[in-house]
Amino acid sequence: MRVFVTGSTGFIGTAVVKELLSAGHKVLGLTRSDKGVEQLKSQGAEALHGTLEDLEVLKKAASECDAVIHLAFIHNFADFVGSCTVDRAAITAMGSILAAAGGDRALVITSGTMMLPRGRLVDEDDAADTTNPMSAARGVSEPVCLDFANQGVRTSVVRLLPTTHGAGTSGFMGMVLNIAQQKGVSAYVGEGQNRWCAGHRDDAAKLYRLAAEKAEPGSIFHAVGEEGVPLKDIATEVGKHLNIPVVSIPLEKAEDHFGWFQSSDMADNTASSTKTRDRLGWTPTGLTVIEDVPIIIDFMKSQAA
């Protein structure tokens, strides 16, 4: 297949491009920068200069490919609703072109388990928690994509996790480490028993490839390797490898310590991937988030050097 990948030079996108090329597919990657063009070329992929707001560019690229893997998202939390609007417009543009082209065309988009109800184990059949404004804004992208199955497109959604980790920025793990280094302590809130589901980015890359290759229309998948890791365990491992104290922060001081990241650090987001594994034959084999902590720290230190 020839696959169009948005977000192709990002932390996860880079792994997805590598995975696709290793499996014998051709890749056309969207990038905003000259540096991104060079990165894609060095991997053996084709590069396309553009942004998510260049809808005509997205349409042309989708029309020339057998599948689209949509990873890019504008992380502007000052205008999160606006970022979600751009996301839906991009999905609509690419989905419409794939539908018009006909044949076995695939559209795989990205969502997140953080959009789902909190405090219980969720699975692939759960829908976004519309009582949460941010979840409601981003969660709408899922049905926008999946509805193209009614027009003959092999649509699917991959939900990523609070931390899809590896040798790089690693989602929320990057924030956890940055705050710990800035504050000089590795902290958790209260007893630290709230949990994050987690998964390795190489496993996520395999999942995206499998979804593009053989997902049934209208499928939802979870890139979950671990259903729930307590934040206290993560903080303890971070403190050990940064050689800083591990402390509990009382709820009333959490905002002062974590800032805007407070709600994410306190989230209890557990999710299953049993149905994903059964439907695609996907078996995660990457390191656990605890095992990955020293690798992520080494990467961040190398970037700061």
Side-chain angles (χ1 to χ4, degrees):
M1 292 192 300
R2 188 168 189 247
V3 185
F4 177 43
V5 182
T6 73
S8 59
T9 58
F11 172 64
I12 297 172
T14 300
V16 171
V17 169
K18 179 181 178 181
E19 175 70 23
L20 289 168
L21 292 171
S22 297
H25 300 299
K26 297 179 180 178
V27 174
L28 174 64
L30 184 72
T31 179
R32 295 172 294 172
S33 68
D34 292 340
K35 182 180 179 182
V37 170
E38 292 306 312
Q39 176 181 318
L40 286 163
K41 288 181 178 178
S42 71
Q43 286 186 277
E46 300 174 69
L48 177 65
H49 207 288
T51 72
L52 279 186
E53 295 169 301
D54 298 329
L55 297 185
E56 294 305 314
V57 171
L58 300 183
K59 289 178 182 179
K60 186 174 186 299
S63 72
E64 297 171 349
C65 292
D66 305 296
V68 173
I69 295 178
H70 175 44
L71 285 155
F73 186 79
I74 301 171
H75 293 280
N76 177 11
F77 291 102
D79 184 18
F80 187 72
V81 172
S83 296
C84 293
T85 300
V86 171
D87 186 52
R88 291 195 300 276
I91 293 167
T92 300
M94 294 184 289
S96 298
I97 288 297
L98 294 174
D104 184 31
R105 308 283 183 121
L107 173 61
V108 185
I109 73 155
T110 303
S111 186
T113 61
M114 285 286 281
M115 305 299 152
L116 304 178
R118 309 277 179 87
R120 65 173 175 85
L121 185 69
V122 295
D123 70 14
E124 295 85 341
D125 294 334
D126 281 292
D129 177 11
T130 56
T131 65
N132 181 312
M134 292 185 72
S135 299
R138 181 80 190 268
V140 177
S141 290
E142 292 190 5
V144 169
C145 168
L146 297 175
D147 283 351
F148 281 107
N150 297 323
Q151 299 180 45
V153 181
R154 198 158 46 77
T155 56
S156 61
V157 174
V158 172
R159 289 174 177 159
L160 297 178
L161 326 167
T163 176
T164 303
H165 53 84
T169 51
S170 296
F172 285 176
M173 279 304 299
M175 288 300 306
V176 168
L177 289 165
N178 284 332
I179 292 170
Q181 289 176 314
Q182 291 167 9
K183 300 290 185 176
V185 296
S186 181
Y188 54 90
V189 179
E191 296 182 359
Q193 292 307 300
N194 62 300
R195 300 149 296 171
W196 284 350
C197 50
H200 197 277
R201 73 163 173 175
D202 291 344
D203 290 325
K206 292 174 186 175
L207 179 55
Y208 276 103
R209 173 178 62 79
L210 289 170
E213 289 175 344
K214 62 180 184 179
E216 292 294 324
S219 299
I220 296 177
F221 304 115
H222 284 180
V224 174
E226 299 176 272
E227 291 185 350
V229 184
L231 267 291
K232 182 178 181 179
D233 292 358
I234 293 174
T236 299
E237 195 71 11
V238 168
K240 180 174 75 174
H241 289 282
L242 289 179
N243 195 29
I244 57 177
V246 179
V247 301
S248 169
I249 299 292
L251 178 60
E252 61 271 18
K253 295 184 178 180
E255 185 174 2
D256 288 340
H257 185 86
F258 291 104
W260 69 267
F261 190 64
Q262 173 196 1
S263 62
S264 298
D265 192 86
M266 293 176 60
D268 190 44
N269 181 226
T270 61
S272 166
S273 60
T274 299
K275 292 174 182 176
T276 296
R277 301 179 195 216
D278 290 345
R279 292 167 182 168
L280 288 181
W282 176 71
T283 303
T285 58
L287 297 178
T288 67
V289 65
I290 297 299
E291 292 169 338
D292 236 354
V293 165
I295 296 171
I296 301 168
I297 290 174
D298 286 346
F299 173 84
M300 295 181 74
K301 287 180 176 178
S302 71
Q303 295 301 106

